[in-house]
Amino acid sequence: MAKKGSPKVVAALADCLKKDKFWGTAATCAEGLAKTGGKAALDALVAGAGHKEARVRRAVANALGGFTRKPEALAALKTLAADESWHVQGDALRAIGSLRLPESRGILESRLDDKSWHDAVAAGALDGLGRLKDVSLLPVFEKWMGVGHSIYARDAALVAYARAAESKDGAYDPLVLILETETDHYVVRAVMDALRTLGDPRAIPSLSRLLARLPEGSATRVKDAINDIREGKKSRLEELSGQVDEFSRKLEKLEKRLDDAEKKKG
């Protein structure tokens, strides 16, 4: 868990989110507020949902997803899910899944048929449903994984399927079937990533057959997937733990700078 920031740090990040003229800096401050946590940080992000820049609102939506089971976060994300920007809507729906509240599933399923550029909204809803890690949703994901949907929606459905099916025996079967017949390289790549997430060595023969069909210059990603499954990939939890440690170090440096600045004023 990230170290909670001092009130001074949270106030500085909130002020940055509200006032900084460069969207990139404001977006970074939204991310910082999510990692510090606490009510003051959540309040600042809720206020930030009304930022005039869509790229900042996307960052705010993603940050609000870190406040698991917080109704205040859901209320703000519902507003963002009706944003004028399809990308903001998609990110808000992803974050609603991360909250894992009882209402999350219904909200997300109701948005699956929304039409948007590159299926940004449907893909966000599928991603959000995947974050619920609910095996009862596997038929929904299998439907969207199939031919007839856009590559963007299919990609999101494949990721969601892997998340929800990670503990289900034999979950690799539908993915292998797609791998054996699919011709779109974008979808094939998404299937390989899903198989890597599942980590089931029974998928290796199908990956090996794919490897044999590809020219040498295109085979690297398949080899990596096979090796990751054989050796056991580094868990996502370990990756996130490293990111949290790095942020904690940055937070400590920021607190020290604020303390030094106050001493100079005094």
Side-chain angles (χ1 to χ4, degrees), residues 27 60 84 119 140 148 168 221 233 244-245:
V60 167
E84 62 183 10
D119 265 340
V140 174
K168 182 178 172 62
R221 195 180 187 95
K233 65 180 178 64
V244 165
D245 289 342

Side-chain angles (χ1 to χ4, degrees), residues 186-218:
Y186 189 92
V187 176
V188 169
R189 185 179 65 184
V191 173
M192 287 192 296
D193 288 341
L195 288 170
R196 182 189 280 116
T197 297
L198 292 178
D200 193 324
R202 290 174 291 182
I204 290 177
S206 291
L207 287 166
S208 298
R209 287 192 288 274
L210 173 63
L211 184 61
R213 300 197 301 267
L214 293 174
E216 183 61 32
S218 304

Side-chain angles (χ1 to χ4, degrees), residues 23 41-42 50 53 68 71 74 86 89 98 112 122 125 140 146 165 176 182 205 212 237 247 263:
W23 73 265
L42 176 55
E53 169 58 57
T68 308
L74 178 62
W86 283 326
Q89 291 182 43
S98 295
L112 287 174
V140 174
V176 164
E182 185 60 52
L237 183 60
F247 178 76
K263 287 175 184 176

Side-chain angles (χ1 to χ4, degrees), residues 91-107:
D91 284 345
L93 293 169
R94 288 182 178 86
I96 286 173
S98 295
L99 294 183
R100 305 188 76 178
L101 284 164
E103 308 98 301
S104 296
R105 178 170 176 167
I107 293 169

Side-chain angles (χ1 to χ4, degrees), residues 26-40:
T28 300
C29 289
E31 179 185 350
L33 286 165
K35 291 178 178 175
T36 58
K39 186 178 184 308

Side-chain angles (χ1 to χ4, degrees), residues 15-256:
D15 191 61
C16 163
L17 172 59
K18 182 179 180 180
K19 297 179 181 177
D20 201 279
K21 294 181 180 179
F22 176 52
W23 73 265
T25 304
T28 300
C29 289
E31 179 185 350
L33 286 165
K35 291 178 178 175
T36 58
K39 186 178 184 308
L42 176 55
D43 289 345
L45 287 167
V46 169
H51 200 283
K52 65 180 181 180
E53 169 58 57
R55 288 170 290 190
V56 177
R57 296 197 301 277
R58 290 186 71 180
V60 167
N62 286 313
L64 285 166
F67 289 84
T68 308
R69 303 193 187 280
K70 293 292 185 183
E72 305 96 318
L74 178 62
L77 286 168
K78 283 181 178 179
T79 299
L80 289 168
D83 195 271
E84 62 183 10
S85 163
W86 283 326
H87 290 299
V88 174
Q89 291 182 43
D91 284 345
L93 293 169
R94 288 182 178 86
I96 286 173
S98 295
L99 294 183
R100 305 188 76 178
L101 284 164
E103 308 98 301
S104 296
R105 178 170 176 167
I107 293 169
L108 296 171
E109 286 189 297
S110 72
R111 303 296 301 276
L112 287 174
D113 293 322
D114 282 22
K115 303 300 180 186
S116 59
W117 184 75
H118 284 185
D119 265 340
V121 175
L126 286 163
D127 195 334
L129 287 168
R131 297 179 189 205
L132 298 178
K133 297 188 176 181
D134 184 345
V135 293
S136 72
L137 283 164
L138 293 183
V140 174
F141 301 139
E142 289 188 51
K143 171 190 169 185
W144 281 87
M145 282 156 43
V147 176
H149 297 289
S150 73
I151 57 173
Y152 310 101
R154 294 180 74 189
D155 178 63
L158 285 160
V159 172
Y161 177 90
R163 280 179 174 153
E166 205 163 354
S167 61
K168 182 178 172 62
D169 185 50
Y172 72 98
D173 281 333
L175 299 177
V176 164
L177 182 61
I178 295 173
L179 193 67
E180 298 281 6
T181 57
E182 185 60 52
T183 57
D184 188 288
H185 74 278
Y186 189 92
V187 176
V188 169
R189 185 179 65 184
V191 173
M192 287 192 296
D193 288 341
L195 288 170
R196 182 189 280 116
T197 297
L198 292 178
D200 193 324
R202 290 174 291 182
I204 290 177
S206 291
L207 287 166
S208 298
R209 287 192 288 274
L210 173 63
L211 184 61
R213 300 197 301 267
L214 293 174
E216 183 61 32
S218 304
T220 302
R221 195 180 187 95
V222 188
K223 291 178 181 177
D224 288 344
I226 292 172
N227 289 335
D228 285 347
I229 293 171
R230 279 181 177 152
E231 298 171 8
K233 65 180 178 64
K234 183 180 179 182
S235 74
R236 182 64 179 146
L237 183 60
E238 288 174 344
E239 292 177 14
L240 288 173
S241 178
Q243 292 173 13
V244 165
D245 289 342
E246 181 183 356
F247 178 76
S248 293
R249 288 191 292 271
K250 290 180 179 178
L251 188 60
E252 288 172 3
K253 289 180 181 177
L254 178 56
E255 288 177 332
K256 186 176 185 305

